[in-house]
Amino acid sequence: MNCKKKETLEVVATVITTDNGILATQRGYGDFKDKWEFPGGKVEPGETLEQALAREIREELDVEIRIDSFVDTVEYEYPEFYIRLHVFVCSAVSGTPVLKVHKSSRWIGKDELHSVDWLPADELSIPVVENYFNNATWDKKSVMPAYTYFGTGKLSLIDKPVPHINNPKDAIVRVTLGSICTSDLHIKHGSVPRAMPGITLGHEMVGVVECVGSAVTNVKPGDRVTVNVETFCGECFFCKHGYVNNCEDPDGGWALGCRIDGGQTEYVRVPHADMGLNRIPDNVTDEQAVFVGDILATGFWAARISEIKEEDTVLIIGAGPTGICTLLCAMLKLPEKIIICEKSEERIAFIRSLYPDVLVTSPDVCKDFVMRNSRHGGADVVIEVAGSDDSFRLAWECARPNAIVTIVALYDKPQLLPLPDMYGKNLIFKIGGVDGCDCEEILKLISERKIDTTPLITHRFSLNEIENAYRLFENHLDGVIKIVVAPKC
């Protein structure tokens, strides 16, 4: 009896696409002479799939390729061995195919994939290739408009190259709806030193997955997804403890729209796509989901770390978009009272009309109002979302002794922490950027109609109107609360 275990061969295949169609090559030798295949070959020891792909195509066709997307892996059993065929869609970026090892070649249309006699493993890959082309709308355009930061006060809508897969963990997302965030204004004003001049702004968006790297397993082309404001690897010390804002990866933390190109454009490259993308339920619209990856994740995180209990009085300072998202998430904790402090009459009216059970006050009388509406000399929990000098001081002044004060706001300048004044209150401060790892749970809550942020959307613009959108948002014109921007792809 022959009990020898069959060898498994790792093989790459390249679906090269051009205006002429898809390239198929014909074998001129061996057991499968005259059969057709996608160009490619065996992965050598020590090579990544991507390295093997580039080498094989160079050796077989004398062409340099750009990987557009990993498609899928199919497995086939031959009499002597198993084969794992890793299928990629690629574009030729230089050179004209020259047949070095094949008998002939032909270009076939996407609807003609069944018209040739394929190698068995390649035949098995045809359904996954067809599925890719049925779901992806990748148009192979070379440039796209992108709203770009050039330094303090300098923003412009310019043409940039369309992004492509740089790493096996990347995905390319076609942006279907984005937004402008106050953090974008902080970048514009020079308040975010790590923001890189030349980057495309925007970190709040939803879209459709167009392409994925070979290591991406949680999403596939055609999936509608939310994009997380933070990039995180899921593997380092901080990620494993849920502190994804401090991910140790070079792209970790707030990268999109700050240190790498963001989403105020048509296409965006998302590193660590398995961590940063979440599929949108079918019963959730783009407008319902667009804030999930940033301000709604921030509000959810703020409510979670504030340890809100049912007997608590919760003070939220600021009723801007993030403040309202924080309110919605705090309401899920069912505290005894929620107080909103806001100076804008328009936003006060908004809160009162939509959330009549919420108490509302203004900054000038906030401290006295909180004292009258709490049992222990102040709020049990204070969440500061406004981001001004006065609101920072108000946060700790309105807190009862031993309260939790959560600082969500991003400030334009350093704040004074007057320790002698607050000595003896024994406050617990929680300060920092969102650990945005709750997006899947948030989407479930939206799907169950327990959270709805669509009333925040007061204005809608196209990408070519984004400068006007920024002007309106920055200057608080026309009753604006939140703007959405829809690229015309």
Side-chain angles (χ1 to χ4, degrees), residues 2 17 20 23 104 107 135 154 176 239 313 340 403 425 489:
N2 183 4
T17 63
N20 296 321
L23 181 64
S104 62
W107 296 96
N135 283 292
K154 299 176 182 178
T176 54
C239 286
T313 294
I340 286 281
K425 291 194 79 169
C489 299

Side-chain angles (χ1 to χ4, degrees), residues 346 458-461 471-473 475-482:
E346 289 178 329
T458 55
H459 296 75
R460 295 163 177 85
F461 289 86
R471 180 186 62 82
L472 186 144
F473 186 67
N475 294 287
H476 307 287
L477 303 177
D478 196 29
V480 64
I481 295 178
K482 198 67 174 167

